[in-house]
Amino acid sequence: MSETYDFLFKFLVIGNAGTGKSCLLHQFIEKRFKDDSNHTIGVEFGSKIINVVNKYVKLQIWDTAGQERFRSVTRSYYRGAAGALLVYDITSRETYNALTNWLTDARMLASQNIVIILCGNKKDLDADREVTFLEASRFAQENELMFLETSALTGENVEEAFIQCARKILNKIESGELDPERMGSGIQYGDAALRQLRSPRRGQAESAQECGC
Amino acid sequence: MMATPSLLLYVDGSLFAKKVKDTRPVEQKHPSWKVFGKLPPKESSAKTQKEYEAKNSRDGPGLSPTSPRRSVRKNLDFEPLSTTALILEDRPANLPAKPAEEAQKHRQQYEEMVAQAKKRELKEAQKRRKQLEDRVKVEERIGNAAQTWNQEILPNWSSLCTTRWVRELWWQGIPPSVRGKVWSLAVGNELNITHELYNICLSRAREKWKNMPSVPPIESQTEDAGSSLADREASLELIKLDISRTFPHLCIFQQGGPYYDVLHSILGAYTCYRPDVGYVQGMSFIAAVLILNLDTADAFIAFANLLNKPCQMAFFRVDHSLMLMYFAAFEVFFEENLPKLFAHFKENNLTPDIYLIDWIFTLYSKSLPLDLACRVWDVFCRDGDEFLFRVALGILRLYEDVLTRMDFIHNAQFLTRLPDLIPADQLFSHIHAIHMISKNRKWSQVLQALQKEQERTSPVLKR
């Protein structure tokens, strides 16, 4: 079981109960909708390697319980997260109203530079919509969040949400805004990047050898 | 010996078969057991052996050099067993007879073949007989156990429940037909809840549901009082949402399913009985398992009393510092029992809360197959919260080899989503091998020591 990747990012999925956090994760990883899912107690996990701007990034995703009561528990999982999907349900204003609380927690407890993408899930239930796209995108802008409306049922924008979030983190690393080596950045070098870092010339040497053959 | 797969199948099936009010003795309730019991194993297995042989021979072994099939077809009333189907015939009369030497050779070959076929059949028949005998034994054991529980143990509960004999029988799993009764007795009713009290709580809950606004109040969450009100109403909403997400694969708790209302009632009544605790995710699984084994009001009584135990109260109030204390105690026994894996988890920052929260909150009913979870509940009712943590260590011990080879994320994924098929016998023998003694201290003593330490170091740091 050898996995090669350049970076490992710790991701969170947060938001109220019943907004579809676990289903988003399941859709992202298995590429299908889980219609008989249990509710998450505590935390569940997923991981996937994606290719973003020519880098292999392994996402280590922490899918947390949504009930308010569990916050004291789930808060302890925020530490060192590099990215987060903040999920609400477009058919439930209540889940939208709770966003500020979730956001405060995430900014306070995860890494300072955490990249958050707001996901208005259940896009397929447009007829029951209680939160407009415009309103949510304004909220996202005011709070410096990326924003997508997603559907864990159809898969629309699900992969995009994870990829966009990862891409932004990579950009921040490249621009120097994020330092992966800082403690609690939520970023680790993968094997590939480590090899390059330790012996930047080794790649050349190997290819030179190949030429000699 | 622990239960075998066929027992588990039976247990699983009968989970849903209870509900019938029944005070008849067990043997009448399950005539099938008695029928099995009356048939001497040899006779019944001989019968199946014949059936088996008959069935097998229809496919025809095609071994005979003289095509036995044709001769068989000639006489249709003759149903051949595979050995007798192998018939040595002389050459037809219109052909010259075999030389004596060749005939002798063929006869010898024929006899060898028959002998081999007979040997093989005997072996297979023995295997089948063994399987059947095992099944009969298991069924007899369940029948006998149910009888023992019903006629001997339950009537003398208080004097027998702590005896070594009963405790050992208990460990082997309680027969499904008496499971609910044993759980009720073992959990007790310290809270003195009556059926009337349940009905009062239920009608209060119904009153609330009626008065609940269909649309939650907007923007009132900033006030403290408003927040708790919103929280309470949200929790009624959440109950509905979670019921549909409780054992969804069983399709009996979901809206329109036979137990939807029952589950809804128990959870609703509990929020009225203990408004200070309210509904917390995980409760729906516990209530559901109780409903499968007890009548509604009794399920409520067991539910409320179960949640009132110190460990469950700590978790369902989400008292983080107390929870951490339980995790710390767990780690003491983890290190004691599985030092290698303990070190590996430490190295990978895999803290016990990551997997224990789900296991403890739902008493394993979400993470283990239901029949296995019920067996865990059996002994949990006997041994208390200590057993929940012992099971956790048993699981870790069972999968120790795999777990020591994996990194953080794979371990976390594995433990928060255990394999679908967990061998019950193996798990229980691993649980059995876990010693809940650390440096001469029992679980409760370790817990007490940690509590004292916590009180000393941070007397006011209770969230």
Side-chain angles (χ1 to χ4, degrees):
Chain A
M1 194 168 53
S2 77
E3 286 176 320
T4 46
Y5 49 83
D6 300 293
F7 293 104
L8 185 146
F9 296 164
K10 174 174 172 178
F11 265 39
L12 299 171
V13 188
I14 51 176
N16 270 20
T19 50
K21 296 179 292 298
S22 300
C23 289
L24 280 172
L25 177 61
H26 196 262
Q27 175 64 257
F28 173 59
I29 290 179
E30 307 285 338
K31 297 216 173 292
R32 61 192 166 81
F33 180 64
K34 192 172 176 26
D35 57 0
D36 65 342
S37 66
N38 292 317
H39 44 289
T40 306
I41 313 288
V43 62
E44 287 177 14
F45 295 86
S47 67
K48 188 170 179 172
I49 296 175
I50 53 172
N51 191 334
V52 195
V53 275
N54 289 324
K55 291 272 191 297
Y56 285 99
V57 177
K58 178 167 177 172
L59 299 182
Q60 182 195 88
I61 305 155
W62 296 51
D63 168 28
T64 61
Q67 192 184 12
E68 165 75 29
R69 202 59 97 69
F70 275 98
R71 281 222 199 157
S72 62
V73 171
T74 49
R75 271 190 190 124
S76 59
Y77 301 139
Y78 285 30
R79 202 157 51 91
L85 268 71
L86 173 54
V87 188
Y88 70 96
D89 170 358
I90 65 156
T91 71
S92 158
R93 176 146 290 272
E94 196 194 330
T95 65
Y96 177 79
N97 289 340
L99 289 175
T100 321
N101 283 337
W102 289 108
L103 201 56
T104 317
D105 271 7
R107 290 252 157 86
M108 199 166 70
L109 300 163
S111 75
Q112 281 180 335
N113 288 307
I114 186 169
V115 172
I116 303 172
I117 184 161
L118 180 65
C119 296
N121 194 32
K122 308 197 189 176
K123 189 176 191 289
D124 49 288
L125 297 176
D126 199 58
D128 303 323
R129 182 187 281 278
E130 285 183 7
V131 183
T132 64
F133 181 86
L134 194 68
E135 185 183 6
S137 51
R138 246 186 239 135
F139 176 85
Q141 214 169 16
E142 282 163 18
N143 292 281
E144 293 172 36
L145 308 169
M146 292 183 289
F147 173 53
L148 277 177
E149 284 194 340
T150 56
S151 167
L153 181 74
T154 66
E156 187 180 351
N157 279 342
V158 174
E159 195 167 21
E160 286 77 357
F162 286 93
I163 288 179
Q164 278 190 25
C165 195
R167 189 183 294 133
K168 181 127 178 216
I169 296 169
L170 276 176
N171 289 343
K172 281 191 168 186
I173 293 172
E174 268 166 30
S175 68
E177 203 179 325
L178 259 179
D179 177 10
E181 306 219 13
R182 205 177 52 85
M183 274 287 282
S185 67
I187 302 161
Q188 285 170 35
Y189 289 113
D191 296 344
L194 259 183
R195 268 200 305 275
Q196 276 181 349
L197 275 178
R198 278 180 188 156
S199 54
R201 296 193 160 265
R202 205 166 122 196
Q204 285 176 4
E206 271 168 8
S207 58
Q209 256 179 6
E210 266 170 42
C211 288
C213 288
Chain B
M1 267 299 286
M2 312 283 154
T4 66
S6 62
L7 165 65
L8 295 180
L9 263 176
Y10 168 76
V11 169
D12 205 11
S14 65
L15 270 175
F16 316 107
K18 58 117 235 174
K19 281 282 138 175
V20 193
K21 284 253 178 183
D22 209 335
T23 47
R24 282 174 295 161
V26 190
E27 63 265 40
Q28 280 172 29
K29 231 194 294 185
H30 300 286
S32 60
W33 294 343
K34 225 43 208 176
V35 169
F36 258 119
K38 271 177 191 158
L39 269 180
K42 266 186 187 164
E43 195 185 306
S44 56
S45 57
K47 197 177 148 217
T48 40
Q49 181 189 342
K50 264 183 210 149
E51 278 166 10
Y52 170 74
E53 282 166 355
K55 209 170 88 190
N56 227 21
S57 62
R58 248 168 252 138
D59 300 326
L63 284 171
S64 164
T66 51
S67 175
R69 286 197 136 190
R70 209 171 298 160
S71 66
V72 166
R73 269 188 214 122
K74 265 186 225 159
N75 102 71
L76 285 170
D77 57 336
F78 175 57
E79 260 258 279
L81 297 177
S82 58
T83 38
T84 50
L86 209 61
I87 292 167
L88 185 69
E89 283 182 75
D90 285 331
R91 276 190 189 162
N94 56 343
L95 293 172
K98 284 181 202 172
E101 201 181 307
E102 202 186 336
Q104 173 64 26
K105 200 175 115 197
H106 284 170
R107 180 161 301 280
Q108 204 183 333
Q109 281 176 341
Y110 165 77
E111 272 161 12
E112 274 168 22
M113 273 188 277
V114 169
Q116 258 178 11
K118 268 198 177 135
K119 213 167 126 192
R120 199 176 53 236
E121 268 163 22
L122 200 71
K123 225 170 151 184
E124 274 166 6
Q126 270 170 349
K127 204 172 124 195
R128 287 182 63 80
R129 187 191 303 163
K130 176 90 175 55
Q131 279 174 353
L132 195 79
E133 275 172 5
D134 285 351
R135 216 179 69 206
V136 170
K137 256 188 227 156
V138 166
E139 274 164 6
E140 251 175 13
R141 208 184 62 209
I142 297 173
N144 290 341
Q147 209 172 333
T148 310
W149 281 98
N150 256 327
Q151 294 176 355
E152 293 174 49
I153 303 170
L154 291 177
N156 307 298
W157 179 252
S158 51
S159 59
L160 287 179
C161 69
T162 50
T163 58
R164 204 196 159 111
W165 163 64
V166 171
R167 287 176 63 84
E168 271 171 17
L169 199 63
W170 203 332
W171 173 271
Q172 289 161 21
I174 300 169
S177 55
V178 288
R179 185 165 256 157
K181 279 180 222 156
V182 177
W183 287 359
S184 277
L185 284 168
V187 170
N189 189 2
E190 244 185 4
L191 300 168
N192 287 317
I193 300 173
T194 56
H195 287 206
E196 287 73 38
L197 181 59
Y198 166 66
N199 286 325
I200 292 167
C201 291
L202 179 59
S203 52
R204 265 196 222 158
R206 290 205 169 120
E207 202 62 28
K208 265 195 188 174
W209 292 329
K210 237 192 286 170
N211 298 333
M212 202 174 80
S214 52
V215 182
I218 299 169
E219 314 288 345
S220 66
Q221 280 106 326
T222 40
E223 300 281 324
D224 248 356
S227 150
S228 67
L229 180 81
D231 194 31
R232 234 179 298 144
E233 270 153 7
S235 91
L236 288 180
E237 277 294 299
L238 190 59
I239 288 175
K240 276 195 196 162
L241 175 70
D242 282 353
I243 288 176
S244 64
R245 304 191 289 175
T246 303
F247 299 123
H249 57 284
L250 297 183
C251 303
I252 52 173
F253 295 107
Q254 286 59 49
Q255 196 130 29
Y259 292 132
Y260 174 84
D261 282 337
V262 181
L263 186 50
H264 196 209
S265 299
I266 288 183
L267 294 174
Y270 188 75
T271 61
C272 290
Y273 176 69
R274 286 299 294 261
D276 56 322
V277 180
Y279 169 73
V280 183
Q281 289 190 320
M283 284 182 180
S284 63
F285 287 94
I286 297 183
V289 173
L290 289 169
I291 287 168
L292 291 173
N293 289 282
L294 284 163
D295 288 326
T296 311
D298 290 328
F300 178 78
I301 293 169
F303 181 71
N305 279 286
L306 200 63
L307 296 194
N308 199 45
K309 293 183 178 292
C311 174
Q312 275 59 48
M313 245 322 129
F315 278 76
F316 281 104
R317 282 168 172 268
V318 201
D319 184 332
H320 206 189
S321 60
L322 262 180
M323 284 164 70
L324 289 175
M325 204 184 72
Y326 278 98
F327 298 148
F330 168 78
E331 285 198 295
V332 168
F333 292 93
F334 187 178
E335 186 170 20
E336 188 87 28
N337 281 278
L338 307 161
K340 214 176 108 196
L341 189 63
F342 179 78
H344 179 68
F345 277 16
K346 276 270 169 213
E347 208 175 294
N348 284 280
N349 287 320
L350 188 70
T351 49
D353 54 312
I354 284 173
Y355 46 92
L356 281 185
I357 284 182
D358 177 280
W359 295 353
I360 304 298
F361 265 94
T362 64
L363 306 175
Y364 295 93
S365 54
K366 178 168 166 273
S367 37
L368 294 180
L370 200 48
D371 49 343
L372 192 49
C374 283
R375 276 197 67 191
V376 167
W377 280 45
D378 288 345
V379 189
F380 163 61
C381 288
R382 190 190 80 172
D383 293 359
D385 55 14
E386 160 181 341
F387 187 69
L388 297 176
F389 295 93
R390 194 175 175 197
V391 171
L393 292 171
I395 294 172
L396 295 178
R397 193 176 191 272
L398 173 63
Y399 295 111
E400 189 177 12
D401 289 346
V402 195
L403 293 168
T404 25
R405 280 199 302 267
M406 295 196 293
D407 62 358
F408 169 85
I409 186 69
H410 290 104
N411 275 328
Q413 277 177 284
F414 185 91
L415 292 172
T416 50
R417 197 167 296 261
L418 291 172
D420 291 334
L421 285 173
I422 298 176
D425 291 358
Q426 273 184 46
L427 176 59
F428 268 79
S429 64
H430 280 279
I431 295 170
H432 194 79
I434 296 292
H435 301 293
M436 293 305 271
I437 296 279
S438 166
K439 300 189 182 82
N440 269 327
R441 291 180 308 166
K442 289 180 192 161
W443 168 261
S444 55
Q445 290 167 315
V446 169
L447 208 56
Q448 250 171 22
L450 283 164
Q451 201 159 12
K452 271 189 193 140
E453 199 179 312
Q454 202 177 41
E455 276 162 13
R456 212 183 50 232
T457 51
S458 56
V460 278
L461 202 113
K462 254 197 170 181
R463 260 194 267 187

